[in-house]
């Protein structure tokens, strides 16, 4: 959950999000090095008079041609690795289907016979004390922690987007098409997200709440809900 005046990312709660945060820090360090070098060269040019040998030096031209290519490689390699990791779906322990509607989410646990429900935002007038305004729902998604989860995402009417920042998940929900992604929660907790595609007048009233619990708690919850 983000805090007020927070400048960075939310705390990572999945291996993919940890990789994304690490790549973000890596890219910022590269950008800082480039800015420092450019600032130093600008200061040097303004402070000292350049000779004709400096302006026409072929060695300098060779360096500023090769150096950007090296920088791009340093950014591209970890980026491609993360992209492949995000697309990898390997034998999930649980499959969940999310269907976007105007303006709520419907969920189906496809590994269970009759485990489906709709998830609506709780209005501010009915919100219990201590809960988050515009983020709490009447039915949370409950998943087992440290288990590979596959989520299949689609929409029933217009474009939506299923996004939970702390899990590093954001996938478009498109009518007539099934998109899928996967994630693993590394710790128990409650993770909040929202629809990230403008889908109409009540676009901001489509929160997503994922509750990660130990496996025994998940089995007890699923038994109660499906019975």
């Amino acid at each position: 959950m983000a805090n007020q005046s927070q400048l960075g990312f939310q705390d990572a709660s999945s291996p993919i999000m940890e990789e994304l945060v690490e790549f973000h820090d890596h890219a910022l360090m590269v950008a800082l090095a480039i800015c420092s070098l450019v600032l130093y060269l600008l200061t040097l040019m303004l402070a000292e008079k350049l000779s004709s040998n400096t302006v026409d030096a072929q060695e300098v031209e060779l360096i500023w041609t090769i150096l950007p290519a090296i920088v791009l490689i340093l950014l591209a390699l970890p980026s491609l690795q993360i992209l492949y990791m995000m697309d990898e779906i390997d034998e999930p322990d649980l499959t969940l289907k999310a269907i976007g509607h105007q303006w709520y989410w419907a969920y189906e646990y496809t590994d269970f016979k009759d485990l489906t429900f709709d998830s609506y935002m709780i209005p501010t007038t009915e919100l219990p004390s201590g809960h988050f305004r515009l983020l709490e729902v009447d039915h949370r998604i409950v998943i087992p922690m440290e288990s590979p989860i596959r989520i299949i995402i689609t929409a029933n009417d217009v474009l939506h987007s299923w996004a939970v920042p702390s899990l590093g998940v954001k996938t478009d929900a498109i009518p007539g098409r099934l998109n899928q992604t996967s994630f693993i929660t590394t710790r128990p907790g409650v993770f909040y997200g929202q629809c990230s595609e403008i889908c109409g007048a009540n676009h901001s009233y489509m929160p997503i709440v994922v509750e990660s619990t130990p496996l025994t708690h998940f089995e007890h919850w699923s038994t109660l809900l499906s019975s």
Side-chain angles (χ1 to χ4, degrees):
M1 183 66 192
N3 301 319
Q4 291 184 353
S5 69
Q6 180 176 335
L7 298 179
F9 292 104
Q10 298 181 23
D11 292 339
S13 301
S14 70
I16 290 296
M17 190 58 191
E18 292 175 0
E19 293 288 338
L20 289 172
V21 172
E22 185 177 347
F23 175 70
H24 170 265
D25 296 340
H26 169 70
L28 281 186
M29 292 304 298
V30 173
L32 179 62
I34 294 173
C35 293
S36 300
L37 178 62
V38 172
L39 181 61
Y40 170 75
L41 293 176
L42 286 175
T43 304
L44 191 65
M45 291 175 63
L46 293 175
E48 298 184 9
K49 183 177 180 180
L50 299 179
S51 64
S52 59
N53 292 333
T54 304
V55 175
D56 299 331
Q58 294 184 357
E59 293 82 1
V60 176
E61 294 180 2
L62 185 63
I63 290 173
W64 71 41
T65 301
I66 296 178
L67 191 58
I70 297 175
V71 171
L72 290 176
I73 292 174
L74 291 176
L75 291 175
L77 291 180
S79 175
L80 291 174
Q81 180 185 11
I82 295 175
L83 284 176
Y84 279 108
M85 290 175 60
M86 295 176 69
D87 286 339
E88 186 71 22
I89 299 176
D90 185 22
E91 297 183 359
D93 292 341
L94 179 69
T95 299
L96 177 67
K97 185 177 182 181
I99 306 172
H101 299 265
Q102 289 182 311
W103 288 271
Y104 65 95
W105 293 97
Y107 297 102
E108 301 176 3
Y109 286 75
T110 59
D111 298 308
F112 297 83
K113 185 176 181 180
D114 294 313
L115 188 49
T116 63
F117 56 85
D118 296 334
S119 180
Y120 289 86
M121 185 195 75
I122 298 178
T124 304
T125 55
E126 304 174 9
L127 192 66
S129 177
H131 289 240
F132 295 107
R133 176 178 172 269
L134 301 182
L135 286 177
E136 196 57 66
V137 296
D138 56 357
H139 292 95
R140 294 175 173 178
I141 307 169
V142 180
I143 58 173
M145 61 176 288
E146 297 180 343
S147 298
I149 308 297
R150 176 177 61 182
I151 179 165
I152 300 172
I153 301 168
T154 187
N156 191 48
D157 36 44
V158 298
L159 292 176
H160 300 278
S161 184
W162 200 88
V164 182
S166 58
L167 299 179
V169 176
K170 182 181 183 297
T171 303
D172 288 341
I174 304 173
R177 174 171 176 162
L178 296 177
N179 290 330
Q180 66 176 352
T181 186
S182 65
F183 59 88
I184 301 174
T185 56
T186 55
R187 58 188 174 91
V190 179
F191 313 113
Y192 294 89
Q194 289 178 301
C195 176
S196 297
E197 187 75 40
I198 297 177
C199 55
N202 293 333
H203 157 67
S204 57
Y205 304 133
M206 289 185 62
I208 301 162
V209 183
V210 179
E211 183 175 350
S212 175
T213 65
L215 180 59
T216 54
H217 292 184
F218 171 76
E219 291 175 344
H220 179 67
W221 171 85
S222 60
T223 302
L224 290 177
L225 201 63
S226 58
S227 60

